[in-house]
Amino acid sequence: MIRFSVHRWAAGPIFAARSLIGEKSMVEHSLDENRLPTLSRSRELRERLLNGKWVIGASVLVLSLLGYFEDVAWPLLAASFLVLAFAVVLTPRKPRLAKIRAGLAQRNVWPDTRIKAAVEALPEPSFLIGPKGIVRFGNMAGHQMFPSVEVGEPLSFKLRVPEFLDALARVTQGGDAESVDYAERLPTARYFRATFTGIRLGPGNRRSGKLPPDFVLLVFRDQTEQRRVEQMRGDFIANASHELRTPLASLSGFIETLKGPARDDAEARDRFLDIMSSQAQRMSRLIDDLLSLSRIEMKPAMSDAEEIDLNNLVHQIGDTLAPLLEELNVSLEMDLPETPLHVHGVRDEMTQVFSNLIENAIKYGQSGGRVRVSGRLETRVPDGRINAVLSVRDWGPGIDAEHLPRLTERFYRVDVQTSRAKKGTGLGLAIVKHIIGRHGGRLAIRSEPGNGACFDVILESSES
């Protein structure tokens, strides 16, 4: 009976030992594949014995009682004890050892496919950084934006910005998420907001406080366009304030003069009133253009679009500008096709576009004595669709090449004094560009100093 009991005690541990040896080999194989550190043999044995201390103590007590009361041979009892101890070593009763091994795995494992898939799905350039600052993974957007950042290398080798690396170090040590502004100057200026966020694969240790993260997720959010818009807004406000302040100061000065020294001077009063009227008209034109530009930018879509014949539209604008042509002694030539140039758009906005372009050509190309408006249909390559092209050309002094890229900026002028003398606000071409852009077209500008300028409006024909 004793022999049967001993064999029964031995059979269970031996079976458990076989299964655990297989599981142990699988765990160690997995750790080796991930290049993870394993526990030392002495520490592992100590942890297993500590986990089974109550089982070993109870076994010693039971075997001692059997040897005393049942008169069982002591060698047999010793062998049974060794089998039980061996089983205890291979079968931890508490998850403490498993937790330690899992903690080591979490601290050093390379990101699995699920984490990689989540990072790859992010639209922003993103990288996973290990505890020692090594790049573990980067999504496609990240490698396209920062091709020099390679997996397996320290991030500090490629992005050497002190504030950037300091934030990474703090988050790596267990700090809260941080954001840092980062700029790339070459080949073009790009601005980013870099956000560092710690990722923990398991629960933290409450007794020791917050544990360092297993990974740090680095996400770059492109703020170049936002910075550009903010700069444009600031420049716009500054320029608008300046343009309004100048005539306003002139009006205030003349009013003070009329109230004071020129109160009884009829000749001075008439001259000052003419100047004040001119300045008031300048302010009115500027405010009208500002409101017009604001309305165009606020409209999300062309809700009142219709089919427009550009030939007919240009002839109507020419009739409207007849007094200005006569005043400046400029002739307007029309070189338009016999067939209509139909486009889909908003009539009032198209009228504003060609009125601005033709009026500018008359004013700034006055020295050439003539302005020509020509139209044609062009076949687009490679889709074969048809564009309607309307060109406004003058033979004035022309524009230097350095000014052409900026002509459509708000308040940009080639010659400020000449523009103000021509009653320009610096917003006309900006309005033209926005309207054409809303209609899906584009504005092309060609000019040679001394040989005039040509403005081409290219719109998709509604007949294509």
Side-chain angles (χ1 to χ4, degrees), residues 117-189:
V119 176
E120 188 65 53
L122 295 175
E124 299 90 355
S126 306
F127 296 92
L128 280 175
I129 315 299
K132 295 184 179 180
I134 306 297
V135 179
R136 295 288 183 84
F137 179 74
N139 63 4
M140 185 177 296
H143 289 302
Q144 289 177 349
M145 185 64 67
F146 302 97
S148 62
V149 178
E150 298 181 1
V151 175
E153 293 187 355
L155 186 66
S156 58
F157 284 6
K158 304 300 180 182
L159 303 176
R160 302 174 182 177
V161 181
E163 298 83 359
F164 189 92
L165 298 177
D166 290 344
L168 173 61
R170 288 190 293 269
V171 176
T172 302
Q173 294 170 5
D176 295 330
E178 293 192 24
S179 295
V180 178
D181 290 331
Y182 173 75
E184 285 272 330
R185 301 297 181 185
L186 297 174
T188 57

Side-chain angles (χ1 to χ4, degrees), residues 434-451:
H434 276 83
I435 293 176
I436 295 174
R438 269 175 33 85
H439 284 73
R442 60 188 179 91
L443 175 67
I445 305 174
R446 297 172 288 136
S447 181
E448 294 180 7
N451 196 30

Side-chain angles (χ1 to χ4, degrees), residues 324-331 366 369-370:
L324 180 64
L325 291 166
E326 184 178 355
E327 177 185 349
L328 299 180
N329 194 25
V330 176
S331 63
Q366 177 186 2
R370 62 192 177 109

Side-chain angles (χ1 to χ4, degrees), residues 59-304:
S59 300
V60 170
L61 178 60
V62 170
L63 292 175
S64 298
L65 291 176
L66 286 173
Y68 182 77
F69 291 105
E70 298 290 338
D71 196 19
V72 180
W74 287 106
L76 185 59
L77 293 175
S80 300
F81 173 75
L82 290 176
V83 171
L84 285 170
F86 182 67
V88 167
V89 170
L90 292 180
T91 313
R93 301 293 182 183
K94 293 185 178 180
R96 182 178 179 184
L97 182 60
K99 286 184 178 180
I100 293 174
R101 293 177 69 86
L104 285 173
Q106 291 172 2
R107 294 290 301 135
N108 297 278
V109 70
W110 285 70
D112 60 22
T113 55
R114 291 175 297 177
I115 298 177
K116 291 180 179 179
V119 176
E120 188 65 53
L122 295 175
E124 299 90 355
S126 306
F127 296 92
L128 280 175
I129 315 299
K132 295 184 179 180
I134 306 297
V135 179
R136 295 288 183 84
F137 179 74
N139 63 4
M140 185 177 296
H143 289 302
Q144 289 177 349
M145 185 64 67
F146 302 97
S148 62
V149 178
E150 298 181 1
V151 175
E153 293 187 355
L155 186 66
S156 58
F157 284 6
K158 304 300 180 182
L159 303 176
R160 302 174 182 177
V161 181
E163 298 83 359
F164 189 92
L165 298 177
D166 290 344
L168 173 61
R170 288 190 293 269
V171 176
T172 302
Q173 294 170 5
D176 295 330
E178 293 192 24
S179 295
V180 178
D181 290 331
Y182 173 75
E184 285 272 330
R185 301 297 181 185
L186 297 174
T188 57
R190 301 292 299 271
Y191 300 93
F192 299 91
R193 172 66 58 86
T195 302
F196 300 89
T197 306
I199 297 179
R200 294 175 178 82
L201 303 180
N205 189 336
R206 295 181 180 178
R207 291 180 297 177
S208 60
K210 186 183 296 183
L211 288 176
D214 300 285
F215 301 104
V216 174
L217 176 62
L218 171 58
V219 179
F220 291 92
R221 290 180 172 83
D222 194 344
Q223 295 190 315
T224 305
E225 185 65 20
Q226 180 180 345
R227 291 283 190 96
R228 189 183 69 84
V229 171
E230 290 176 355
Q231 182 66 36
M232 288 179 57
R233 184 183 295 113
D235 293 343
F236 176 76
I237 293 174
N239 289 327
S241 300
H242 174 74
E243 293 294 332
L244 288 171
R245 188 181 294 114
T246 301
L248 185 60
S250 178
L251 286 172
S252 299
F254 285 122
I255 290 173
E256 292 296 326
T257 303
L258 289 174
K259 291 172 63 177
R263 178 188 296 271
D264 299 324
D265 189 339
E267 182 180 353
R269 183 172 62 247
D270 292 340
R271 187 173 70 254
F272 290 162
L273 287 174
D274 289 340
I275 297 174
M276 291 170 66
S277 176
S278 175
Q279 295 297 325
Q281 291 175 6
R282 177 183 169 188
M283 290 180 65
S284 178
R285 289 193 302 271
L286 180 59
I287 292 173
D288 289 342
D289 284 350
L290 287 172
L291 292 175
S292 178
L293 184 59
S294 177
R295 283 193 300 268
I296 294 168
E297 292 179 337
M298 291 288 288
K299 286 183 179 180
M302 299 183 297
S303 58
D304 51 349

Side-chain angles (χ1 to χ4, degrees), residues 27 39 49 54 61 74 104 188 227 247 304 347 376 381 436 449 459:
V27 172
L39 296 174
L49 290 174
W54 296 109
L61 178 60
W74 287 106
L104 285 173
T188 57
R227 291 283 190 96
D304 51 349
R347 176 171 290 275
R376 64 189 183 276
V381 178
I436 295 174
L459 299 166

Side-chain angles (χ1 to χ4, degrees), residues 422-441:
K422 303 292 184 182
K423 299 181 180 180
T425 62
L427 294 173
L429 289 179
I431 294 173
V432 167
K433 179 184 176 181
H434 276 83
I435 293 176
I436 295 174
R438 269 175 33 85
H439 284 73

